[in-house]
């Protein structure tokens, strides 16, 4: 995977190796799946959810999946302890090199959240939205950096 980074008027591509920290926004069933996959591939994960009490349940679900992920084979450095939680989107966007959004599939909710993430994250951070029925052109409508908004659904 390559990620575009703006460098003046030039667009510079960088490899996924430059991504070490993933931000997860929305920690329901799909968010937990993404958290587990990214952790199992050796990424540091910072998670945020509108429900401030979600952390214990998410950690328990990740722990319940970990043995299966180990059975598939984990790269060096993969560790379920590489999961952090924050209540601040500013904090998440300031640290994440890639953001995966997983809130409910409601146009207004997703557009408003993606607009906020687009404002807060550096322009070279790719923002992926998990959706099963909303097109990219609708999702990115309120965003300034439309080229970095993608659809990523498990």
């Amino acid at each position: 995977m390559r990620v575009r980074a703006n460098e003046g008027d030039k667009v510079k591509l960088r490899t996924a190796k430059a991504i070490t920290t993933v931000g997860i926004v929305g920690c329901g069933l799909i968010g937990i799946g993404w958290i587990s996959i990214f952790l199992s591939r050796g990424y540091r994960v910072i998670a945020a959810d509108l429900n401030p009490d979600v952390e214990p349940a998410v950690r328990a679900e990740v722990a319940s999946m970990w043995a299966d992920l180990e059975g598939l084979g984990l790269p060096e450095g993969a560790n379920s302890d590489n999961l952090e939680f924050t209540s601040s989107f500013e904090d998440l966007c300031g640290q994440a090199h890639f953001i995966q959004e997983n809130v409910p599939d409601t146009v207004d909710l997703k557009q408003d959240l993606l607009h906020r993430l687009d404002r807060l994250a550096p322009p070279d951070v790719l923002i992926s939205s998990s959706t099963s029925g909303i097109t990219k052109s609708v999702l990115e409508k309120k965003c300034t950096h439309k080229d970095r908004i993608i659809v990523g659904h498990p």
Side-chain angles (χ1 to χ4, degrees):
M1 172 170 67
R2 291 184 177 237
V3 180
R4 281 188 277 181
N6 293 326
E7 207 176 80
D9 292 329
K10 299 176 186 177
V11 175
K12 181 182 176 187
L13 296 177
R14 62 184 172 121
T15 66
K17 291 179 182 177
I19 298 171
T20 59
T21 302
V22 174
I24 300 290
V25 179
C27 298
L29 182 61
I30 292 172
I32 291 168
W34 282 117
I35 289 169
S36 298
I37 291 297
F38 285 120
L39 287 171
S40 74
R41 301 295 67 185
Y43 293 97
R44 174 178 165 242
V45 175
I46 301 172
D49 194 276
L50 297 176
N51 177 356
D53 301 322
V54 74
E55 182 176 349
V58 171
R59 287 191 184 279
E61 285 295 322
V62 170
S64 75
M65 293 182 214
W66 201 252
D68 291 334
L69 293 166
E70 286 177 323
L72 296 172
L74 300 177
E76 188 175 327
N79 190 322
S80 61
D81 291 336
N82 288 335
L83 173 60
E84 302 170 32
F85 285 82
T86 182
S87 59
S88 165
F89 289 142
E90 291 83 358
D91 182 45
L92 183 142
C93 289
Q95 295 185 60
H97 306 135
F98 176 89
I99 298 171
Q100 176 65 52
E101 170 274 310
N102 317 288
V103 299
D105 236 4
T106 305
V107 172
D108 290 339
L109 176 62
K110 283 189 174 284
Q111 283 180 340
D112 290 346
L113 179 58
L114 290 170
H115 174 66
R116 185 172 178 191
L117 296 173
D118 184 48
R119 277 192 349 260
L120 293 171
D124 65 332
V125 173
L126 199 59
I127 302 171
S128 177
S129 179
S130 185
T131 179
S132 57
I134 305 171
T135 63
K136 177 188 178 323
S137 61
V138 172
L139 291 170
E140 69 187 15
K141 190 172 186 172
K142 295 180 181 180
C143 296
T144 301
H145 305 98
K146 295 178 183 339
D147 60 333
R148 64 146 158 206
I149 306 298
I150 62 171
V151 173
H153 193 64

